[in-house]
Amino acid sequence: MPKRFLIPANLRGSDILDTTSLFWEASGKVVTFDFSELAFAFPFPTLVLAAEIQSVIQANPKRRYEFVGIDPNKPAHSYLAHVGFFRHIGHDQTLASREARGGSYVPITELTRRQLSQRLRDADQPLGFAVQKEAEDLARVLTQSNDLKANRPIAYCIREVIRNVFEHAGVDSCTLAGQKYQNDVELGIVDRGRGIRTSLRERFDVKSDEEALLMAIRPGVSRVAPSLDDNEWANSGFGLFEIGRAHV
């Protein structure tokens, strides 16, 4: 496989997965990521690209990794630096110092179980309290509003995706990023967990990833024990179902 990967001109939608899937087939002592054609970037594919490059580097630390074609004067490249992309993949960029949650965007941020636990006022409080607070904070940033009517459905979706990472994925961290546009909000949350199919196979005979995805959005299907807690945030298996309804 090639040791040089050309990053697409447009980071938009799920097409980035076709590119990142090739990263794991690379061989050799030096791998180069070429950003020379990159001209436009949205949060979700940017987040996926950052997470995959970081994972490849962590899995193969003895290789040398080169990042070429980066021009801080290009808006798309400046955007990547501004949201913490280069910092996340381990490439130094002076613009990274401008990262901060606020304004109309959420920079690429790793969220861990330990971080959430440290935010609890009482050790006996369920982790769901911290997840709820994080979701509400993210919703306010992305909507640029304190309007509960506007924020509650967004906070709910964020909360359910984050909690699914810690309850189902078998990992203790996820990475997120988001941006508010004039009439839209885009938020990406990724993790390197075991996947929906593997999780559901503990209870169901699931034969494909597509079948697993369709099954997971049915009410009650994804409920597992133990949950993060046993109160109003208890894992009822309705999170993905409600999120799916919100996008119909």
Side-chain angles (χ1 to χ4, degrees):
M1 289 300 297
K3 303 173 186 177
R4 186 184 190 93
F5 296 100
L6 184 63
I7 305 304
N10 292 298
L11 297 182
R12 180 193 294 263
S14 60
D15 291 346
I16 188 61
L17 297 175
D18 295 330
T19 298
T20 57
S21 63
L22 299 176
F23 294 169
W24 296 94
E25 301 176 17
S27 59
K29 296 182 179 180
V30 181
V31 173
T32 302
F33 297 97
D34 186 348
F35 292 81
S36 60
E37 292 193 4
L38 177 64
F40 200 82
F42 275 95
F44 175 71
T46 296
L47 177 62
V48 171
L49 179 61
E52 287 297 282
I53 291 178
Q54 183 195 58
S55 296
V56 167
I57 293 174
Q58 290 176 346
N60 302 276
K62 294 184 178 180
R63 284 182 183 158
R64 187 171 86 248
Y65 296 90
E66 298 177 341
F67 305 95
V68 301
I70 300 171
D71 183 353
N73 295 315
K74 291 184 177 180
H77 297 197
S78 176
Y79 171 79
L80 292 190
H82 192 69
V83 299
F85 175 90
F86 295 115
R87 182 250 323 150
H88 195 73
I89 63 175
H91 180 61
D92 292 333
Q93 285 285 306
T94 56
L95 285 177
S97 62
R98 297 166 57 191
E99 298 166 34
R101 179 180 294 186
S104 60
Y105 74 98
V106 177
I108 296 175
T109 305
E110 184 178 23
L111 187 64
T112 69
R113 184 185 294 270
R114 182 178 180 182
Q115 289 172 341
L116 290 169
S117 298
Q118 290 174 340
R119 297 176 189 177
L120 297 174
R121 297 178 181 177
D122 189 321
D124 294 329
Q125 278 187 314
L127 193 66
F129 279 101
V131 173
Q132 175 71 20
K133 181 64 165 57
E134 175 71 14
E136 292 172 352
D137 289 345
L138 288 168
R140 279 191 291 270
V141 171
L142 293 173
T143 63
Q144 292 291 283
S145 171
N146 290 316
D147 182 0
L148 292 178
K149 185 177 181 180
N151 289 342
R152 277 176 177 167
I154 295 176
Y156 176 85
C157 292
I158 295 172
R159 184 190 81 191
E160 292 304 304
V161 174
I162 292 176
R163 68 174 297 149
N164 278 347
V165 172
F166 298 116
E167 291 181 340
H168 300 280
V171 292
D172 288 324
S173 68
C174 62
T175 308
L176 52 87
Q179 179 82 43
K180 181 184 185 300
Y181 303 96
Q182 186 172 0
N183 297 312
D184 298 293
V185 171
E186 180 174 334
L187 176 72
I189 300 175
V190 302
D191 66 78
R192 301 286 310 173
R194 58 182 178 167
I196 293 176
R197 180 183 178 186
T198 300
S199 177
L200 289 182
R201 286 183 68 178
E202 293 181 346
R203 300 176 59 212
F204 304 99
D205 180 20
V206 185
K207 296 180 174 58
S208 68
D209 289 332
E210 181 180 7
E211 181 183 353
L213 289 171
L214 292 174
M215 182 179 290
I217 60 175
R218 298 175 189 168
V221 167
S222 61
R223 178 171 186 167
V224 296
S227 175
L228 289 180
D229 44 71
D230 295 317
N231 52 37
E232 68 256 46
W233 290 293
N235 182 13
S236 62
F238 277 79
L240 292 181
F241 170 67
E242 291 295 341
I243 292 172
R245 288 207 312 168
H247 288 80
V248 172

